[in-house]
Amino acid sequence: MKPKQDIFATLTLSNILLVLAAFAIVWVLLHYLSRMFAALSQNRPRTRFIMRMVEPALRILLWFAALLFAVSLLAPSQDAFIAALGSAAIAIGLGAQDLIKNFIGGFVIVADRPYQTGDRVKIGEAYGEIEQIGLRSTKLMTPDDTLVTIPNSQILGSL
């Protein structure tokens, strides 16, 4: 546990430059990793699915590691770190509110089965044939061949 100290004691020029360098390194590394994954997917089509699953996880892991490095370098005290973590959790929770509503709507739609792929339905202003039912959204093809994506929370509200 770090002793309590002034918030500006850790904000030295060298610490700030180290954090900026870490973020720059991660950004460049992810740029080249993205190109590498694209080349591997093109040369080996069978690995395309795995590459598309690994790349976002690796991207999140590297950014999280850089953020953890920055916090460990710049965090003035354990209390300030916990307060910042709590604030971030509240912000993420409020930001992910719609996403969670869509997931819950997706689970209800998958479990209740009010319609299936191929059914013709009218949801809100959109009318068409159900193409795909996902956990976040439902896609339907209108008669004029336009693919419309409708969030599951909106569908759940109209049932």
Side-chain angles (χ1 to χ4, degrees):
M1 184 163 106
K2 287 184 178 179
K4 290 190 178 193
Q5 52 188 345
D6 186 15
I7 191 167
F8 296 110
T10 58
L11 288 178
T12 63
L13 182 61
S14 63
N15 284 352
I16 293 172
L17 289 176
L18 273 172
V19 168
L20 290 175
F23 284 136
I25 289 169
V26 167
W27 183 78
V28 169
L29 183 64
L30 286 175
H31 177 74
Y32 285 109
L33 281 174
S34 177
R35 284 184 169 188
M36 183 188 74
F37 281 136
L40 283 173
S41 295
Q42 191 174 10
N43 292 337
R44 296 188 176 133
R46 289 184 173 198
T47 63
R48 182 174 301 152
F49 180 71
I50 292 173
M51 295 298 172
R52 293 199 184 224
M53 287 178 49
V54 169
E55 186 178 359
L58 186 61
R59 186 176 293 275
I60 289 170
L61 181 71
L62 286 173
W63 280 120
F64 183 73
L67 187 63
L68 194 60
F69 173 74
V71 166
S72 69
L73 195 63
L74 298 176
S77 69
Q78 185 178 8
D79 294 337
F81 177 71
I82 291 173
L85 195 61
S87 298
I90 289 172
I92 290 169
L94 290 173
Q97 199 172 19
D98 288 336
L99 181 66
I100 292 169
K101 282 181 191 177
N102 288 334
F103 275 129
I104 291 171
F107 286 127
V108 169
I109 290 170
V110 168
D112 193 28
R113 292 263 188 221
Y115 50 79
Q116 296 177 6
T117 304
D119 289 352
R120 292 191 176 266
V121 295
K122 181 172 177 26
I123 301 171
E125 298 293 319
Y127 171 78
E129 183 178 325
I130 300 292
E131 291 286 319
Q132 178 186 6
I133 302 170
L135 287 180
R136 290 187 312 123
S137 62
T138 299
K139 297 181 186 332
L140 59 95
M141 186 67 71
T142 62
D144 62 345
D145 290 332
T146 303
L147 187 65
V148 178
T149 303
I150 303 170
N152 284 335
S153 60
Q154 181 183 347
I155 295 169
L156 190 60
S158 68
L159 289 178

